[in-house]
Amino acid sequence: MLLVSMSTQVFAKLVYINVANVKNKKQLNYPYMELKSLGFKMSYERKSYGYAVYTGPYSSQASLDRAYKKIKRRFKHAHVIVYDSQEKQKRQEHKVQQQPKQESLKPCAKEKKDTGFVAGLSVGYGNAPSSHVLESGSVIVKEPSASGQNYSLYGGYDFANGVTLLANYMYLNTNDLEFSNYLGSLNYRFEHLGAFVPYIGCSLGYSSLKWNTSPIANASPSSNNDSAGIAYGTQIGLLYKLFQNISLKVDYSYLFLNHTTNITQGTTGRSKLQHNTLDSILIGLEYTF
């Protein structure tokens, strides 16, 4: 609903839009990023319940109407506040509060970066191609399916310096193969770029490979099919704040693996089937505590 026009006397006072109210300074980051993406500067004031977030002051009805219409789309509880020296003066929807001291309004740009525990879940696509190395004799290998659905579950902590430490479990199923990767990740976030937060990082951990089918026909015998070893790699991604504590996450990772399946066939056939890389793209949601 658009704001009903005010008299010109109102604009002789200080007119702000009260965008939102939050409990602590950590939660100021969300309205700051949203208002910045809309082209507004943000101020806040300490209250008994936490912090009140504002834009303004507005000097004309036209500028107020334009701002209110845009802000209301993102912040449904936004409303106009008229600051005056008399506490009981009323406006259309809310009681007027006493004008705050000017020094109590501070720009959020000076605030520390967001910190806190994070957890997330992502799904996507992964690919782990294989290479066949024949050592002796003749071995006919059934090339396994290399790609399939990929899942990631993680938790960790965002530090104030832009660093994120995560513990991550990644699972890829290609029908023929199952990869289980247990990784520790270190990411760096490029913050204060609007609602989007790109990041880059590296990972190190452990990977296991399980076969759901035999790599060769009529194995006699086929030995040591499953494999395990160190995994390491890099990742890049992007976070987009959907709500105050929830972000959309898009992530691309490239892992170096050390999986070797030793194959024996007959009395002379010896070969290896190696899986040395795994690349994946995932999309999911991240929650900040």
Side-chain angles (χ1 to χ4, degrees):
M1 181 178 70
L2 292 178
L3 199 66
V4 177
S5 296
M6 297 179 178
S7 66
T8 56
Q9 284 82 1
V10 170
F11 286 96
K13 306 174 176 93
L14 292 176
V15 181
Y16 290 83
I17 296 176
N18 182 196
V19 175
N21 299 316
V22 298
K23 293 182 179 180
N24 53 58
K25 283 190 175 182
K26 173 186 169 183
Q27 294 177 338
L28 288 170
N29 189 61
Y30 173 70
Y32 168 71
M33 300 299 257
E34 289 294 300
L35 289 171
K36 185 178 179 180
S37 69
L38 292 173
F40 296 105
K41 292 184 178 180
M42 184 187 112
S43 298
Y44 66 84
E45 180 187 8
R46 187 72 172 91
K47 297 285 188 179
S48 59
Y49 54 79
Y51 295 87
V53 178
Y54 303 94
T55 64
Y58 295 92
S59 58
S60 70
Q61 182 68 51
S63 62
L64 176 64
D65 286 345
R66 286 194 299 268
Y68 185 78
K69 184 177 180 180
K70 291 177 67 175
I71 289 171
K72 195 72 173 176
R73 293 172 182 170
R74 301 278 184 96
F75 300 92
K76 63 180 181 179
H77 298 298
H79 57 270
V80 171
I81 293 289
V82 182
Y83 288 109
D84 193 83
S85 59
Q86 298 183 15
E87 293 184 359
K88 293 186 178 181
Q89 180 181 345
K90 295 183 179 181
R91 64 177 183 85
Q92 182 188 357
E93 296 179 18
H94 295 266
K95 291 182 179 180
V96 175
Q97 301 176 9
Q98 185 174 1
Q99 179 177 336
K101 295 180 180 179
Q102 195 64 33
E103 59 267 24
S104 68
L105 294 176
K106 305 172 185 178
C108 186
K110 294 182 180 180
E111 282 302 296
K112 294 181 180 179
K113 296 178 181 178
D114 198 13
T115 63
F117 290 98
V118 298
L121 175 66
S122 301
V123 296
Y125 171 86
N127 183 58
S130 61
S131 60
H132 180 216
V133 179
L134 182 63
E135 295 183 321
S136 64
S138 176
V139 178
I140 300 176
V141 174
K142 296 189 299 182
E143 290 290 340
S145 175
S147 59
Q149 289 185 323
N150 205 3
Y151 306 88
S152 176
L153 178 67
Y154 64 90
Y157 193 84
D158 283 343
F159 293 91
N161 58 2
V163 171
T164 303
L165 286 177
L166 297 173
N168 179 55
Y169 172 69
M170 181 188 293
Y171 174 77
L172 170 64
N173 189 339
T174 72
N175 293 325
D176 292 341
L177 306 170
E178 294 180 29
F179 293 87
S180 295
N181 303 309
Y182 305 86
L183 304 166
S185 300
L186 176 68
N187 294 335
Y188 181 78
R189 311 183 307 273
F190 298 91
E191 296 182 326
H192 297 307
L193 298 178
F196 295 93
V197 181
Y199 64 87
I200 188 170
C202 57
S203 297
L204 175 66
Y206 170 85
S207 177
S208 66
L209 168 62
K210 177 183 177 182
W211 282 82
N212 293 325
T213 184
S214 175
I216 58 174
N218 302 319
S220 58
S222 176
S223 61
N224 300 325
N225 284 357
D226 296 345
S227 174
I230 294 176
Y232 60 94
T234 185
Q235 62 273 349
I236 58 173
L238 187 69
L239 290 162
Y240 179 75
K241 190 86 72 172
L242 295 174
F243 306 102
Q244 185 164 304
N245 297 99
I246 300 177
S247 297
L248 177 69
K249 183 177 183 180
V250 179
D251 180 275
Y252 173 79
S253 66
Y254 192 89
L255 291 177
F256 294 94
L257 309 176
N258 188 27
H259 291 303
T260 299
T261 300
N262 296 305
I263 301 170
T264 61
Q265 189 171 32
T267 57
T268 61
R270 301 288 186 276
S271 70
K272 294 180 178 180
L273 196 60
Q274 297 176 327
H275 290 85
N276 295 323
T277 62
L278 189 161
D279 64 309
S280 61
I281 185 166
L282 297 160
I283 184 168
L285 294 176
E286 180 174 291
Y287 184 83
T288 302
F289 298 89

